[in-house]
Amino acid sequence: MEHLINRKVKEIEISGIRKFFNMVAGTEGMISLTIGQPDFPTPLHVKEAGKRAIDDNFTSYTHNAGDLRLRHAAANFMKKKYNLDYDADSEVIVTVGASEAIDIAFRTILEEDTEVILPGPVYPGYEPIIKLCGAKPVYADIRENNFRFTAEIIEKYLTERTRCVVLPYPSNPTGVSLSKAELSRVAELLKDKDIFILADEIYSELVYDQPHVSIASFLRDQTIVINGLSKSHSMTGWRIGLLFAPAAITKHILKVHQYNVTCAASVAQIAAIEALTAGMDDCLPMKEAYLERRDYVYSRLIDMGLQVEKPDGAFYFFVKIPDQALSSFDFCLSLVKEEKIAVVPGSAFSSFGEGYFRLSFASDMETLKEGLNRIESFIEKMQA
């Protein structure tokens, strides 16, 4: 019966990140610096709120868009943190993680043969959904621009079929973000065009050297902001994402969300209320630890003679492979076999990631030190 499967589904593949993670999982002695999983536990007071929700039998459906208390908390969070104004009743949707938010946004705004401009390299979760919508992903090469997806680059790829531009900052896999001035120029370029902006800001609370600025502060009417609690509050398994957009857009996205999942899990929503109110600054101690790790990992990679941009945010380094004779997959596979250290091949982030590998520093310092020792040992053997 496989021949009857939707052709578009058969043509997409499992994420290269997960492929590599699954391949090395369970190997004795393996150090994995692969997936973007915070190594901190969910804050205790947030877990307690979730437990109370169970004890209070808050286990029924909520409003399709999410419990109104949570939507108010989310809107207030965005106002206080980023000076963005959204109406809790009509402009906020609680989703099953940021991944579902991306899915329902694309399925609402894309049609057959429309185009979506993405920076290359980029997180692999966008392309499959775009293709399932019958639309075309268009990759803009940002490698020679220090991985910055600026207006000057975006302009080169605009066509009459462009329906959306994806701005994922801080970036996975590079950790690079955009300045206020750069975002202003992007807004000026796209202003008054019939083009949506999908602003994936899931790492907005993990920006180290400058305040996070959302493109929505410049171009609200065209922007769909994606956020969530997975990275900011170490709540990956709770699956709470947040979507913010003008009411004229969310009223249609909500229809797709309703028929997709009905609503996010009620217990997780109560925990999310606690996270966004009493835990508004829960991310700060995590960010301090990530910053220390970032600076340590950066100094080690530079000392190895490796080419890398220092990330502005998130918890990734995107590192140039020194020996171009090896593909990124073969390089990473050799690391696994010879040193028992796993990172993600750059090819997982589109063809524009070939020649690089992604290293996650969302691990404790002891693990990072040993992992980097193993990478250094491998590099020295390569260059001997």
Side-chain angles (χ1 to χ4, degrees):
M1 299 296 287
E2 187 180 5
H3 66 285
L4 299 178
I5 298 294
N6 185 327
R7 173 183 55 81
K8 292 174 183 175
V9 174
K10 289 201 287 187
E11 288 175 352
I12 64 175
E13 296 184 5
I14 298 296
S15 159
I17 303 172
R18 284 289 172 174
K19 276 185 180 179
F20 214 80
F21 172 77
N22 294 338
M23 186 177 70
V24 303
T27 304
E28 186 177 353
M30 182 68 64
I31 290 178
S32 179
L33 304 179
T34 52
I35 62 172
Q37 168 67 53
D39 64 313
F40 298 97
T42 301
L44 179 60
H45 68 105
V46 176
K47 292 189 289 187
E48 292 296 333
K51 293 176 186 176
R52 287 196 300 272
I54 295 173
D55 291 337
D56 293 342
N57 293 313
F58 194 79
T59 54
S60 302
Y61 295 126
T62 70
H63 188 288
N64 293 129
D67 187 289
L68 186 57
R69 293 169 295 173
L70 175 52
R71 285 183 278 147
H72 275 288
N76 183 58
F77 186 89
M78 296 297 276
K79 176 62 177 177
K80 287 193 172 182
K81 292 284 187 174
Y82 312 119
N83 199 31
L84 296 175
D85 287 299
Y86 289 102
D87 178 68
D89 291 287
S90 62
E91 298 184 321
V92 182
I93 301 175
V94 181
T95 62
V96 183
S99 297
E100 194 233 336
I102 293 167
D103 175 48
I104 60 177
F106 278 148
R107 285 202 281 155
T108 301
I109 66 175
L110 299 182
E111 296 177 290
E112 292 282 340
D113 299 323
T114 55
E115 295 178 351
V116 179
I117 303 176
L118 303 153
V122 73
Y123 170 66
Y126 309 114
E127 179 180 325
I129 303 170
I130 293 167
K131 288 184 172 179
L132 286 173
C133 292
K136 177 184 177 183
V138 176
Y139 286 99
D141 189 351
I142 58 172
R143 291 172 295 182
E144 300 304 317
N145 197 37
N146 300 321
F147 299 119
R148 310 187 79 79
F149 193 32
T150 56
E152 293 74 18
I153 289 180
I154 293 170
E155 188 171 20
K156 298 175 185 176
Y157 295 87
L158 292 174
T159 73
E160 70 277 1
R161 291 187 297 277
T162 303
R163 179 64 59 86
C164 180
V165 174
V166 176
L167 282 183
Y169 288 105
S171 163
N172 174 9
T174 68
V176 170
S177 197
L178 293 180
S179 69
K180 184 176 181 179
E182 288 170 325
L183 288 168
S184 176
R185 288 192 286 273
V186 172
E188 190 61 32
L189 171 67
L190 299 179
K191 183 180 179 181
D192 298 326
K193 290 183 170 64
D194 290 334
I195 296 173
F196 291 99
I197 299 169
L198 185 80
D200 186 348
E201 301 181 9
I202 191 67
Y203 295 98
S204 62
E205 284 292 279
L206 295 176
V207 177
Y208 305 114
D209 303 316
Q210 60 186 2
H212 174 76
V213 179
S214 174
I215 187 71
S217 61
F218 296 99
L219 217 56
R220 185 185 190 279
D221 289 348
Q222 294 169 235
T223 301
I224 301 168
V225 176
I226 307 295
N227 215 311
L229 302 182
S230 290
K231 316 300 182 179
S232 61
H233 289 76
S234 196
M235 293 176 67
T236 53
W238 296 80
R239 307 311 300 138
I240 292 292
L242 299 166
L243 184 150
F244 305 87
I249 300 173
T250 56
K251 71 179 183 180
H252 297 293
I253 296 176
L254 184 60
K255 291 182 285 187
V256 182
H257 169 72
Q258 174 191 346
Y259 290 115
N260 193 19
V261 299
T262 303
C263 64
S266 56
V267 170
Q269 289 191 51
I270 296 300
I273 294 171
E274 176 74 12
L276 291 174
T277 52
M280 183 172 285
D281 292 323
D282 278 351
C283 191
L284 293 181
M286 301 183 208
K287 185 164 76 168
E288 289 178 8
Y290 288 136
L291 178 58
E292 180 185 4
R293 297 172 190 179
R294 181 200 70 168
D295 291 345
Y296 170 74
V297 174
Y298 181 70
S299 65
R300 287 291 307 273
L301 293 172
I302 293 298
D303 288 345
M304 292 179 209
L306 296 173
Q307 180 182 331
V308 64
E309 293 290 328
K310 181 184 280 191
D312 305 304
F315 34 61
Y316 307 109
F317 281 92
F318 205 56
V319 188
K320 186 82 169 174
I321 295 172
D323 184 358
Q324 293 303 300
L326 286 175
S327 69
S328 61
F329 183 86
D330 289 339
F331 176 87
C332 293
L333 190 60
S334 296
L335 269 178
V336 166
K337 291 179 177 178
E338 296 185 29
E339 300 290 344
K340 288 194 173 181
I341 170 70
V343 292
V344 181
S347 56
F349 305 94
S350 83
S351 61
F352 294 97
E354 183 54 64
Y356 295 82
F357 67 87
R358 191 194 74 174
L359 179 156
S360 168
F361 56 91
S363 296
D364 62 79
M365 193 64 83
E366 182 179 347
T367 300
L368 290 171
K369 287 178 179 177
E370 177 57 27
L372 288 162
N373 287 343
R374 296 183 187 189
I375 292 173
E376 185 171 23
S377 172
F378 183 77
I379 297 295
E380 288 175 350
K381 292 174 186 175
M382 281 182 61
Q383 297 175 341

